[in-house]
Amino acid sequence: MSDTPTLPAVSREWHLLSRPVGWPKPEDFALVEAPLPQPGEGQILVRNEYLSVDPYMRGRMSAAKSYVAPYELNKPMQGGAVGRIVASRAEGFAVGDHVLHFGGWREYAAVDARHTVKVDPEAAPLSTYLGVLGMTGLTAYAGLLRTASFKEGDVVFVSGAAGAVGSQVGQLARLKGASRVIGSAGSDEKVKLLLEEYGFDAAFNYKSGPVSEQLRAAAPDGIDVYFDNVGGDHLEAAIGSLNQGGRIAICGMISVYNVTEPAPGPRNLARLIQTRGRIEGFLVGDHYDLQPEFVREVGPWVRSGELKYRETVVEGVENTLEAFLGVLRGDNTGKMIVKL
């Protein structure tokens, strides 16, 4: 092992104790002290500096089969993290380098170097590699451009538009020539943010009235693209406003993540026949081939300030669970980040 800074004997990490039913409860989790992990051959030891908490993590807390393996009980949970290498047994990775990896929900992580990506804190703030220039940004980019087949002149509707992904979708659509960008959010403050900072043409608070009525008022000529982060009444409303040849990209359905009964589906799916509309779900993991193009195109917009982003930062590994629950409640504006 290469020379290392003085390291503690233990690392704090979050474990899942029981699988939540409905809304996760604090007693389903525990913050435990574990011996500091030691990197094996080909591994690096990372002192995490920023952790990501995301809606998809709720699915991993259930035992149900999904696109990613469930969290194991009584073991550290996982998630995106960026940090500094403090010990290395991997060629090409030196103490002091910064990497993006998936050993989150803990202070220190021993990870396979081949499953990490080096990041440059001089090129952009470290936290952005978990958000606007990371998986969050690529999700927005791939979903809008590839899955929804966005084209210049489209009218675009985004739900959860003040969140990390949604805010970037709306701005990308605007920068690439949408004729109108509409967003929904859960508070008047977030609606104001969409209009005044992110440049949306119209936005509404979905708690202020039926989504279908508010969407029709915001898009009287209908929509061509719907980027779905919410599901439920938002999806039904989007189908109702879909123009001929419209496309719907399903990124997430946060409105149904904690329900204990089957959620009712949209009641107007037959309208897709009339509009020749298309609904397609996607996972960012299927689109990593777009990463170089994404960074090449979006990086300059971030640096110039043309593409704006917000972060909600919670400090301390001990507050990671509360930050995650905050995402499910919609407390965050932009990307929710935990700073260690």
Side-chain angles (χ1 to χ4, degrees), residues 98-182:
H98 286 85
V99 292
L100 173 66
H101 63 96
F102 283 92
W105 287 84
R106 68 198 86 177
E107 291 177 306
Y108 288 84
V111 293
D112 291 341
R114 62 194 173 92
H115 292 150
T116 72
V117 176
K118 284 189 185 180
V119 296
D120 182 1
E122 300 298 320
L126 283 174
S127 59
T128 62
Y129 294 105
L130 294 175
V132 66
L133 290 178
M135 187 173 71
T136 302
L138 183 60
T139 300
Y141 190 86
L144 178 68
L145 300 183
R146 180 175 279 175
T147 307
S149 306
F150 170 84
K151 58 185 185 297
E152 190 174 346
D154 280 343
V155 177
V156 177
F157 171 45
V158 187
S159 58
V165 173
S167 60
Q168 200 154 343
V169 172
Q171 291 184 84
L172 286 173
R174 177 176 53 78
L175 287 164
K176 294 185 80 62
S179 61
R180 189 165 175 78
V181 179
I182 302 141

Side-chain angles (χ1 to χ4, degrees), residues 49-52 82 100 119 121 124-134 136 309 311 313 335-339:
E49 297 182 23
Y50 293 94
L51 308 177
S52 178
V82 65
L100 173 66
V119 296
L126 283 174
S127 59
T128 62
Y129 294 105
L130 294 175
V132 66
L133 290 178
T136 302
Y309 66 95
E311 294 175 340
V313 180
K335 183 77 183 77
M336 182 72 91
I337 300 282
V338 180
K339 181 180 180 182

Side-chain angles (χ1 to χ4, degrees), residues 154-325:
D154 280 343
V155 177
V156 177
F157 171 45
V158 187
S159 58
V165 173
S167 60
Q168 200 154 343
V169 172
Q171 291 184 84
L172 286 173
R174 177 176 53 78
L175 287 164
K176 294 185 80 62
S179 61
R180 189 165 175 78
V181 179
I182 302 141
S184 73
S187 73
D188 292 341
E189 291 77 18
K190 289 181 179 180
V191 167
K192 185 179 179 185
L193 177 74
L194 295 178
L195 296 171
E196 295 182 2
E197 185 165 332
Y198 294 147
F200 281 62
D201 297 293
F204 59 85
N205 181 347
Y206 66 82
K207 297 175 182 175
S208 298
V211 175
S212 57
E213 293 178 13
Q214 295 196 77
L215 178 58
R216 275 197 298 272
D221 296 323
I223 62 172
D224 302 300
V225 168
Y226 171 47
F227 193 103
D228 191 15
N229 290 305
V230 174
D233 55 354
H234 281 74
L235 178 56
E236 185 168 290
I239 293 170
S241 285
L242 204 63
N243 289 330
Q244 187 164 320
R247 290 87 64 205
I248 295 174
I250 306 289
C251 177
M253 291 193 173
I254 199 168
S255 70
V256 301
Y257 286 171
N258 294 302
V259 297
T260 54
E261 298 295 325
R267 297 165 294 183
N268 56 349
L269 283 172
R271 197 168 183 280
L272 295 175
I273 304 168
Q274 171 189 340
T275 62
R276 289 73 142 183
R278 171 167 64 83
I279 300 179
E280 184 177 343
F282 75 99
L283 295 173
V284 67
D286 296 332
H287 301 282
Y288 282 128
D289 61 298
L290 289 176
Q291 179 79 24
E293 174 190 320
F294 159 67
V295 172
R296 207 164 41 242
E297 184 168 24
V298 176
W301 285 335
V302 173
R303 285 191 290 275
S304 70
E306 290 175 89
L307 195 152
K308 297 174 173 60
Y309 66 95
R310 288 281 192 99
E311 294 175 340
T312 300
V313 180
V314 172
E315 299 218 4
V317 70
E318 65 277 8
N319 293 315
T320 306
L321 176 60
E322 182 54 32
F324 168 71
L325 295 175

